[in-house]
Amino acid sequence: MKILHVTPHLPPDQAANALLPWLLGQWSGESGDDVEYLAHPPRAAGGASLPGPVTWIPRRHGRSPAARWLRLDALPTAWHLHRSLAAALERCDLVHAHSNGLLPELAVLLARRAGKPVVLTLYGTEIWHYGPKRIGPDLFTRAYHAASAVTFYSERLLARARELGLNRRGLHTIYPPVGPAFVWHDASAQAEARRALGIGNRQLLLNVKRLHPLAGQRHLIEAMSEVIRTHPDTRLVICGTGALLEDLQSAARSAGVERHVTFTGLLDNTTVARYCGAADLFVLPSLLEALPTVALEALACGTPVLSTDNPGGLELYELFGRDVAIVPREQPLRLARAIVEFFHHKRRAADVTAATIEREFRPHATVAAYRAVYVEAQREARS
């Protein structure tokens, strides 16, 4: 099969809609498929090895509010995309479009006009912030209904789409995969990982997310003053980059916990996996999530998760039970109390969690699920 992935992002960008197309392409290539990409150039520095050729579509710059509203400035990009996509469509058997925006939306519509099967994957913000456009072309809604099949990152995201009137045939939930670097750590392996990282603290908390307001790290930092009041030998490690770094560092200073908080910046998967295995508790104070891969990765390493009551956290609780605890969003004191309570009864995750990860959240499960959707999309396109 010749598969064309159309996505706003590719590595080294760390967004979910960059990593999944990259991984799916790798796995498809290993199965003998030919893979090609259309994407915007990465915002992050550096390069990444892709499993197939890529056509870069320049991003739009200098957009006025009126142009963004009416999408009038999209015309030059649409023309460039139309020419690039027409050639790519000749070479492919199936189009897999990721997320929203002009690039994937126009790709869905042009591919369907050309009679190609199309799978559209939605990650979260496309649905959480969905609203039909009253002025200008509503390409997202048109693309959503035109796609041969639509996949969602979580069941709650799919349910929200239905609540918004976006019900249709061919809707599927396919959970994100957990990579092979994230392996189970019992207490002995946890201690070894902590020694390898040079961390001697008695308690270790971990958060892995982009430094963004929706990630809620400020509430976690504010909770730390209460945590260290009863557990002074506690370290919080926050892995990720983003525009809020200086603000969060300032918040740590203001809370008097600066020496207890480490900002690592962007790390490779191997190092993140080592932190996941070394941590006592993974803390996810996000305001909004579909299904947080970072929390799944922590669970795969045997580390329990404390999440706020965002949709993805609640779905994790339904999937993993007592290995995922839930507290209200934007309430640092409730977060702190839950952390302290966990420290009083510290433990690794249960064996049933390890079994669930291996059965449902490893690449083989994700690949099989997408392969089934690809076959369905091809069948739908022929009918």
Side-chain angles (χ1 to χ4, degrees):
M1 187 186 304
K2 297 179 179 179
I3 303 169
L4 172 66
H5 287 277
V6 183
T7 175
H9 304 283
L10 280 174
D13 289 352
Q14 291 294 301
N17 55 7
L19 298 176
L20 183 63
W22 172 56
L23 291 171
L24 285 176
Q26 286 186 327
W27 298 328
S28 295
E30 291 169 1
S31 300
D33 295 324
D34 292 325
V35 179
E36 188 174 345
Y37 293 93
L38 258 74
H40 293 311
R43 288 191 171 97
S49 176
L50 297 170
V54 57
T55 299
W56 299 113
I57 306 297
R59 299 178 188 274
R60 292 170 282 159
H61 298 286
R63 296 183 291 168
S64 68
R68 285 196 300 269
W69 187 35
L70 296 173
R71 299 182 86 167
L72 296 176
D73 63 334
L75 293 176
T77 301
W79 174 244
H80 185 185
L81 173 58
H82 189 285
R83 290 192 302 167
S84 299
L85 188 60
L89 286 174
E90 289 289 327
R91 299 188 292 269
C92 77
D93 300 313
L94 179 139
V95 174
H96 191 158
H98 299 262
S99 196
N100 63 339
L102 180 65
L103 181 64
E105 292 162 10
L106 193 57
V108 171
L109 296 173
L110 293 178
R112 292 300 280 157
R113 184 185 300 172
K116 300 288 184 176
V118 180
V119 174
L120 174 63
T121 293
L122 302 179
Y123 295 79
T125 55
E126 316 92 342
I127 298 300
W128 301 137
H129 304 304
Y130 173 77
K133 290 174 67 68
R134 290 182 172 83
I135 297 178
D138 186 0
L139 293 183
F140 173 77
T141 304
R142 288 175 57 193
Y144 178 89
H145 288 291
S148 311
V150 181
T151 73
F152 296 82
Y153 233 44
S154 71
E155 284 287 350
R156 286 176 179 261
L157 193 61
L158 190 158
R160 180 58 179 158
R162 287 181 168 141
E163 290 172 4
L164 291 167
L166 292 173
N167 200 17
R168 47 154 289 173
R169 294 176 58 190
L171 302 182
H172 309 266
T173 295
I174 301 180
Y175 288 126
V178 175
F182 298 89
V183 297
W184 194 259
H185 286 61
D186 59 15
S188 175
Q190 178 193 23
E192 176 56 36
R194 200 172 291 191
R195 284 193 294 270
L197 291 166
I199 295 174
N201 300 86
R202 187 175 180 83
Q203 282 82 222
L204 178 61
L205 301 172
L206 179 66
N207 172 264
V208 183
K209 287 293 289 185
R210 186 162 61 100
L211 308 184
H212 184 277
L214 286 178
Q217 287 109 342
R218 176 179 291 273
H219 306 299
L220 176 54
I221 289 170
E222 291 171 355
M224 280 295 290
S225 58
E226 180 66 18
V227 171
I228 64 175
R229 188 176 64 82
T230 55
H231 293 81
D233 194 15
T234 299
R235 175 154 302 279
L236 166 63
V237 174
I238 299 177
C239 304
T241 60
L244 288 188
L245 176 59
E246 291 185 3
D247 289 345
L248 294 174
Q249 289 172 328
S250 176
R253 287 193 295 271
S254 297
V257 298
E258 182 179 15
R259 67 185 185 89
H260 295 270
V261 181
T262 299
F263 296 92
T264 68
L266 187 63
L267 300 176
D268 61 83
N269 262 4
T270 300
T271 307
V272 172
R274 189 172 291 131
Y275 274 110
C276 284
D280 293 305
L281 184 66
F282 186 95
V283 188
L284 189 78
S286 303
L287 280 63
L288 192 60
E289 293 278 356
L291 199 80
T293 307
V294 289
L296 288 171
E297 291 169 344
L299 290 167
C301 291
T303 299
V305 170
L306 172 62
S307 173
T308 55
D309 57 354
N310 61 73
L314 292 171
E315 191 158 339
L316 280 178
Y317 174 74
E318 293 169 356
L319 290 165
F320 294 100
R322 67 187 294 264
D323 284 337
V324 178
I326 302 294
V327 296
R329 280 167 278 193
E330 301 182 271
Q331 294 192 28
L333 185 57
R334 295 286 295 275
L335 194 63
R337 288 172 178 168
I339 292 169
V340 170
E341 175 65 18
F342 176 83
F343 285 163
H344 288 160
H345 307 281
K346 255 200 297 193
R347 60 181 180 81
R348 303 303 289 162
D351 290 344
V352 66
T353 287
T356 301
I357 291 287
E358 295 305 316
R359 184 179 64 252
E360 300 180 23
F361 293 92
R362 289 298 186 183
H364 67 84
T366 302
V367 169
Y370 274 108
R371 181 65 63 177
V373 172
Y374 288 172
V375 171
E376 176 191 303
Q378 290 177 309
R379 185 184 305 119
E380 187 275 344
R382 289 193 296 266
S383 62

